[in-house]
Amino acid sequence: MSCYSCIGPISGAERSFGLDNFGYPICMICQDEIRATANETTTDLAVWLWIELKGRNVPVELEKNDGYKTIDLAVVEARLNIEIDGKQHHGFRQALADLKRTAYSLEKGYITLRIPNTLVRDSSPRKLDEIVDYIVHCAEAALAIRQQSKR
């Protein structure tokens, strides 16, 4: 058996605990990483997406502080921030705050992907794979752009 997230070895007890508590068969190292970075505002969708991206070898971080606020997920080497937004992001005040936050990130060289939580929550497994594949593609594209700009 192997961890869904890091593909490392996993015991039967770790598998059961991971399935029961995170919905995935993940090892203690990955479980500890989630516990160490998650906070009271971390959503199940952010954890799910972190696990899915890690399982595709994307070096993603959960709850990354950017010096302004905490980002749901970040692929630091690609300078890509991923925010999973709920209904509260539709109002004027929150939308303006999000715009300011996105501008701050852009000034620091980070691109921000904003994903409505309903897109993730209400999708079929096939559509979820499509969403994750698209995010992987965005991370790869952002990294390629970054590497080209260094030349």
Side-chain angles (χ1 to χ4, degrees):
M1 288 186 283
S2 62
C3 175
Y4 185 87
S5 180
C6 71
I7 319 301
I10 184 173
S11 71
E14 287 173 319
R15 181 183 191 288
S16 294
F17 190 85
L19 283 169
D20 291 346
N21 292 278
F22 299 101
Y24 287 86
I26 57 175
C27 68
M28 283 306 276
I29 294 169
C30 291
Q31 291 176 34
D32 288 345
E33 189 171 347
I34 292 168
R35 281 195 228 39
T37 56
N39 59 47
E40 65 280 348
T41 63
T42 304
T43 65
D44 291 344
L45 295 176
V47 171
W48 170 82
L49 195 48
W50 178 85
I51 291 169
E52 287 290 333
L53 292 169
K54 292 282 276 189
R56 287 172 171 80
N57 296 317
V58 175
V60 64
E61 295 181 37
L62 180 65
E63 298 295 341
K64 178 72 174 168
N65 189 303
D66 70 353
Y68 183 72
K69 290 205 173 204
T70 301
I71 305 297
D72 292 334
L73 300 160
V75 183
V76 175
E77 72 181 61
R79 292 184 161 290
L80 178 67
N81 291 335
I82 303 164
E83 292 285 8
I84 303 171
D85 293 341
K87 287 181 187 177
Q88 73 276 17
H89 292 268
H90 297 263
F92 178 80
R93 292 179 100 177
Q94 186 60 50
L96 184 57
D98 290 344
L99 183 59
K100 289 177 183 177
R101 181 182 191 169
T102 298
Y104 175 85
S105 296
L106 194 55
E107 288 171 1
K108 299 290 184 184
Y110 281 78
I111 297 168
T112 302
L113 290 180
R114 292 194 168 277
I115 303 169
N117 66 3
T118 55
L119 181 67
V120 178
R121 189 182 59 236
D122 299 339
S123 292
S124 67
R126 193 177 117 265
K127 290 291 184 185
L128 290 173
D129 278 342
E130 192 175 327
I131 293 165
V132 174
D133 289 345
Y134 182 73
I135 293 169
V136 170
H137 172 75
C138 289
E140 290 170 348
L143 187 55
I145 290 167
R146 221 168 117 58
Q147 289 172 341
Q148 284 178 348
S149 68
K150 288 182 179 178
R151 293 180 187 159

